[in-house]
């Protein structure tokens, strides 16, 4: 379970729908950010290219692999200032972003959350807790 899975699961649980855009897999998405800073135009292009519907406040927009398109990070300023009704989560490698050296950065518009892999000890504790909760009837039975 990585960053992408966590964001998709969060969208599934707390939003009516999720619009997922991977900038590593689809170069066309990158061009939308390189040609304009107009948020509405960017969203229209993304919806047309992907066939995904984006509804303000009801859709979680996930931008994945943003290290492959530094302009996405810079666009967060415009989303925040001009289109705050859209809920956006970005995922990517901080190492990749550092190597890309974006020319500008939306200071005060982006919140970072670092997600590290679980250690073996953390995994064992989590599995042990789930097993214990299952045995005590706290968790529903899950077929194996």
């Amino acid at each position: 379970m990585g960053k992408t899975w966590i964001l998709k699961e969060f969208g599934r649980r707390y939003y009516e729908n999720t619009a997922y855009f991977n900038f590593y897999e689809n170069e066309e998405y990158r061009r939308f950010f390189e040609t304009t800073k107009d948020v509405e135009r960017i969203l229209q292009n993304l919806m047309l290219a992907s066939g995904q519907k984006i509804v303000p406040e009801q859709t979680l927009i996930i931008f994945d692999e943003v290290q492959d398109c530094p302009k996405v990070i810079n666009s967060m300023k415009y989303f925040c200032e001009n289109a705050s009704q859209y809920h956006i989560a970005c995922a990517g490698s901080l190492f990749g972003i550092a190597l890309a050296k974006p020319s500008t950065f939306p200071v005060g518009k982006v919140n970072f959350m670092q997600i590290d892999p679980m250690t073996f000890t953390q995994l064992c504790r989590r599995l042990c807790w789930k097993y214990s909760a299952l045995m005590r009837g706290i968790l529903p039975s899950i077929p194996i």
Side-chain angles (χ1 to χ4, degrees), residues 39-63:
V39 172
E40 293 298 329
R41 191 167 166 192
I42 290 170
L43 290 173
Q44 289 297 325
N45 287 336
L46 287 170
M47 285 189 286
L48 284 171
S50 68
Q52 298 180 77
K53 186 177 180 182
I54 297 174
V55 179
E57 298 179 359
Q58 296 176 12
T59 302
L60 176 63
I61 303 167
I62 300 173
F63 293 145

